[in-house]
């Protein structure tokens, strides 16, 4: 009998759990009553225990991630601004009632209360006549409002939106699409359903964006970036105006072409590398200087690959070992990135390149290769000529000082250094004629000859050469001869070898019939 009673109780509980509407609501029960059109939710903390059919319908209008509590709380916070605060204080107040915000699309009423530790939330329609009829007014109104909002968004979107069947027939379009039809179709064309298709180019669904052009009836062209979404039974298209992007790309392409044409006439080799140090632009001079064909440079080699190819053609300074050469390359790239790289490369073949690296604000790098082999050869020849000329005048026994048109001492020989005790490159603060005249005066007896030399060197017009004699502080007589040169003046000082006698209180040289050769202007006559 006990076993039969236990079995009867279990069977009754089982049948009760399987019966629809098993959570029977009473006046004091927190379980929702499915017979009403209110949206009722029962929560244990943040866990949804049960809800009415209208409550489940309302949650279905709130798509997105998160639990039922999260989605419902977000909607309640937007519809009832004080809902979050009231629910936090519900343990103290026990019950609250809120009306929807003034700007809400539907007049709703929210009631919250705690029953047996469970939270009961009821959302009902507060608009007039809501109690009439058997429709689920809350969820229907929300869905209707959402559909109206989406329709307004799609209809008034500034870009073109349309929908096509798999066969390409346009079955829906927004206002922007219809307005654009007026620019594309002829004036006598009549717009009817199904709408004509404006974009005739093939647009693949897999492509993220396709650039399409529309020919207007006035002959101009409009560009659009078209996106397509495959919905299975139809395809949805979005076309965003791209005229500004096309103009910018055209201007950039024209600028690059003009820049390339300008660079093509520059004798300096130019190589432009992107931030990843890949070659993006070069001029014809680079192919001439590096010896690399255009086909190789067009493959966008890296900076290191370009220098490796140049090294194979003996167009890089040959290092002592490969490892140090690689470090030099890495150092060159680092120095170029900081804007301080500038060096002369002497090649094994005799060429000399002046290489300059300059970074750009976007991280790119510009390398410039200038062949200065001719300049270096001219400098070397000029230095050799100077050394040869210096060696020649150093063999002359007379002291020689050559001045430039600006009055600077340009050259002197070894005899000049022995006579005056200084070399023109050392011993004086400058080689100006004013400093030298003061130096000569400090080493000689008072004489107007020094100021006369200074005036002659700094003269503006050509003057005849002249000769004179003076005495040094140690008593030696010095014969001075000053004459013009092409682009300068030469002053010659010779220790007098003639005998002198006083004339009217002054010393005057006596002409000799024979005069030893000095190696410089042997035909010049002396003053008698």
């Amino acid at each position: 009998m006990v076993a039969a009673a236990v079995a009867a109780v279990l069977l009754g509980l089982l049948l009760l759990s399987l019966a629809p509407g098993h959570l029977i609501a009473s006046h004091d029960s927190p379980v929702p009553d499915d017979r009403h059109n209110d949206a009722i939710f029962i929560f244990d903390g943040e866990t949804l225990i049960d809800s009415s059919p209208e409550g489940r319908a309302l949650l279905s209008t709130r798509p997105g991630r998160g639990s039922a509590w999260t989605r419902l709380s977000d909607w309640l916070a937007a519809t009832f601004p004080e809902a979050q605060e009231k629910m936090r204080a519900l343990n103290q107040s026990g019950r609250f009632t809120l009306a929807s915000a003034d700007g809400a699309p539907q007049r709703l009423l929210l009631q919250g209360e705690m029953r047996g530790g469970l939270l009961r939330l009821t959302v009902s329609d507060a608009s007039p006549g809501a109690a009439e009829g058997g429709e689920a007014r809350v969820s229907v109104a929300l869905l209707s409002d959402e559909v109206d909002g989406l329709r307004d968004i799609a209809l008034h979107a500034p870009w073109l939106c349309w929908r096509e069947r798999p066969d390409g027939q346009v079955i829906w379009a927004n206002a922007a699409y219809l307005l654009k039809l007026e620019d594309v179709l002829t004036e006598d064309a009549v717009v009817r359903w199904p709408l004509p298709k404006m974009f005739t180019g093939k647009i693949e669904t897999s492509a993220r964006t396709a650039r399409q052009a529309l020919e207007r009836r006035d002959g101009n062209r409009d560009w659009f970036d078209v996106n397509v979404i495959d919905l299975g039974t139809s395809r949805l298209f979005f076309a965003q105006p791209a005229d500004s992007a096309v103009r910018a790309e055209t201007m950039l392409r024209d600028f690059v072409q003009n820049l390339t044409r300008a660079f093509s006439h520059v004798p300096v080799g130019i190589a432009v590398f992107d931030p990843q140090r890949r070659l993006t632009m070069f001029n014809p001079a680079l192919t001439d200087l590096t010896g690399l064909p255009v086909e190789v440079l067009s493959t966008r080699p890296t900076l290191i690959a370009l220098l490796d190819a140049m090294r194979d053609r003996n167009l890089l300074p040959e290092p002592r070992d490969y490892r140090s050469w690689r470090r030099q390359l890495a150092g060159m790239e680092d120095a170029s990135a900081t804007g301080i790289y500038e060096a002369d490369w002497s090649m094994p073949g005799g060429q000399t390149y002046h290489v300059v690296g300059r970074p750009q604000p976007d991280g790119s790098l510009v390398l410039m290769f200038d062949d200065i082999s001719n300049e270096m050869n001219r400098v070397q020849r000029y230095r050799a000529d100077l050394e040869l000329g210096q060696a020649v005048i150093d063999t002359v026994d007379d002291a020689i000082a050559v001045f430039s048109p600006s009055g600077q001492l340009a050259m002197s020989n070894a005899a000049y250094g022995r006579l005056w005790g200084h070399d023109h490159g050392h011993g004086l603060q400058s080689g100006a004629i004013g400093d030298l005249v003061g130096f000569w005066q400090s080493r000689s007896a008072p004489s107007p000859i020094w100021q006369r030399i200074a005036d002659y060197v700094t003269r503006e017009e050509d003057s005849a050469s002249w000769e004179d004699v003076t005495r040094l502080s140690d008593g030696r007589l010095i014969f001075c001869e000053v004459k013009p040169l092409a682009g300068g003046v030469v002053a010659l000082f010779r220790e007098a070898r003639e005998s002198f006698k006083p004339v009217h209180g002054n010393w005057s040289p006596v002409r000799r019939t024979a005069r030893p050769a000095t190696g410089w202007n042997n035909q010049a006559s002396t003053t008698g």
Side-chain angles (χ1 to χ4, degrees):
M1 292 178 64
V2 175
V6 172
V9 172
L10 294 178
L11 180 60
L13 293 177
L14 179 61
L15 293 176
L16 182 61
S17 64
L18 295 178
H22 62 279
L23 295 178
I24 301 175
S26 64
H27 179 72
D28 297 331
S29 174
V31 181
D33 189 351
D34 290 353
R35 294 173 298 176
H36 294 85
N37 294 331
D38 297 339
I40 304 175
F41 306 91
I42 305 300
F43 286 93
D44 184 3
E46 295 185 359
T47 303
L48 181 62
I49 302 300
D50 202 353
S51 63
S52 65
E54 182 63 14
R56 291 189 291 271
L58 191 150
L59 283 177
S60 65
T61 64
R62 305 291 99 196
R65 297 181 179 179
S67 62
W69 172 263
T70 301
R71 290 182 285 133
L72 183 62
S73 298
D74 294 341
W75 177 77
L76 290 176
T79 308
F80 304 92
E82 300 179 3
Q84 299 288 347
E85 181 181 355
K86 293 294 185 181
M87 284 191 292
R88 284 194 294 268
L90 196 58
N91 290 328
Q92 289 77 22
S93 61
R95 182 190 299 267
F96 70 87
T97 301
L98 288 177
S100 58
D102 296 338
Q106 185 183 9
R107 297 179 59 183
L108 300 175
L109 194 66
L110 173 63
Q111 294 179 335
E113 57 181 332
M114 296 296 296
R115 291 188 179 182
L118 300 179
L119 173 62
R120 177 190 178 100
L121 296 176
T122 303
V123 181
S124 57
D125 191 352
S127 59
E132 301 177 1
E135 295 181 343
R137 298 184 56 86
V138 176
S139 60
V140 171
L142 292 177
L143 289 174
S144 178
D145 179 67
E146 184 175 1
V147 170
D148 292 341
L150 294 176
R151 182 183 295 110
D152 292 339
I153 292 174
L155 186 62
H156 300 290
W159 52 83
L160 309 184
C161 303
W162 72 97
R163 195 170 184 177
E164 294 181 3
R165 289 177 179 172
D167 58 359
Q169 188 179 47
V170 179
I171 57 176
W172 176 86
N174 68 342
Y177 188 94
L178 298 176
L179 291 175
K180 200 64 184 176
L181 278 176
E182 298 180 1
D183 296 335
V184 176
L185 300 180
T186 59
E187 295 181 359
D188 56 349
V190 179
V191 179
R192 297 177 179 175
W193 288 94
L195 295 174
K197 187 176 182 179
M198 287 193 297
F199 294 90
T200 57
K202 187 177 181 181
I203 304 175
E204 299 293 340
T205 305
S206 58
R208 295 180 59 87
T209 302
R211 183 68 54 82
Q212 295 285 329
L214 279 182
E215 295 289 344
R216 301 205 306 256
R217 64 184 178 207
D218 58 3
N220 294 323
R221 176 181 293 182
D222 294 334
W223 288 93
F224 293 87
D225 288 332
V226 183
N227 295 82
V228 58
I229 300 176
D230 193 352
L231 301 177
T233 58
S234 63
R235 295 201 302 171
L236 188 61
F237 292 84
F238 302 91
Q240 185 176 2
D243 294 329
S244 300
V246 172
R247 284 194 298 268
E249 292 172 0
T250 302
M251 293 176 60
L252 179 60
R253 182 170 58 253
D254 294 342
F255 173 76
V256 173
Q257 291 177 355
N258 294 333
L259 196 63
T260 302
R261 284 193 292 267
F263 284 168
S264 63
H265 302 289
V266 177
V268 177
I270 300 175
V272 181
F273 297 86
D274 61 14
Q276 287 72 39
R277 295 298 181 263
R278 300 194 69 88
L279 184 65
T280 59
M281 184 186 301
F282 62 92
N283 64 339
L286 185 67
T287 62
D288 299 334
L289 294 176
T290 61
L292 299 175
V294 178
E295 293 77 10
V296 176
L297 297 178
S298 300
T299 59
R300 301 186 61 196
T302 62
L303 174 60
I304 297 299
L306 177 65
L307 295 175
D308 285 342
M310 292 177 61
R311 180 174 181 264
D312 294 339
R313 289 166 172 79
N314 292 328
L315 293 177
L316 281 182
E318 189 62 32
R320 294 182 179 180
D321 57 76
Y322 182 77
R323 184 172 299 176
S324 63
W325 177 78
R326 293 292 294 183
R327 286 196 299 267
Q328 179 185 1
L329 294 183
M332 190 210 73
E333 185 174 355
D334 295 340
S336 299
T338 58
I340 60 174
Y341 183 79
E342 187 171 359
D344 292 335
W345 291 358
S346 298
M347 315 299 176
Q351 303 99 321
T352 302
Y353 287 173
H354 182 69
V355 183
V356 179
R358 290 291 179 265
Q360 302 304 310
D362 60 350
S364 59
L365 176 67
V366 178
L367 286 182
M368 292 170 283
F369 299 84
D370 189 10
D371 189 356
I372 60 173
S373 302
N374 295 333
E375 288 79 357
M376 294 299 295
N377 292 335
R378 284 195 293 268
V379 169
Q380 292 175 359
R381 288 196 299 268
Y382 177 72
R383 291 177 178 175
D385 293 341
L386 287 179
E387 293 175 356
L388 179 60
Q390 184 69 48
V392 170
I393 67 172
D394 283 343
T395 61
V396 179
D397 295 334
D398 296 337
I400 299 174
V402 181
F403 293 90
S404 65
S406 62
Q408 292 289 327
L409 181 62
M411 182 181 294
S412 64
N413 64 347
Y416 175 88
R418 291 193 298 270
L419 176 64
W420 293 108
H422 84 90
D423 181 51
H424 78 272
H426 304 85
L428 292 177
Q429 293 182 355
S430 68
I433 184 62
D435 294 338
L436 289 175
V437 165
F439 177 75
W440 294 336
Q441 287 178 340
S442 65
R443 298 294 183 95
S444 61
S447 174
I449 189 174
W450 306 121
Q451 186 61 40
R452 187 179 178 187
I453 294 177
D455 296 340
Y456 188 91
V457 170
T458 57
R459 78 197 189 288
E460 295 183 357
E461 67 279 350
D462 293 337
S463 302
S465 60
W466 57 270
E467 301 174 347
D468 207 341
V469 66
T470 187
R471 181 181 297 276
L472 297 180
S473 299
D474 58 4
R476 289 179 297 168
L477 292 175
I478 298 299
F479 174 80
C480 302
E481 182 178 359
V482 182
K483 61 175 56 182
L485 290 178
V489 173
V490 61
L492 182 145
F493 305 94
R494 181 188 314 117
E495 186 176 352
R497 298 182 178 87
E498 296 88 351
S499 59
F500 288 79
K501 65 178 181 177
V503 178
H504 303 292
N506 295 326
W507 288 91
S508 176
V510 177
R511 184 188 302 272
R512 289 184 177 179
T513 57
R515 177 182 175 187
T518 61
W520 173 268
N521 196 18
N522 291 329
Q523 302 300 323
S525 61
T526 60
T527 303

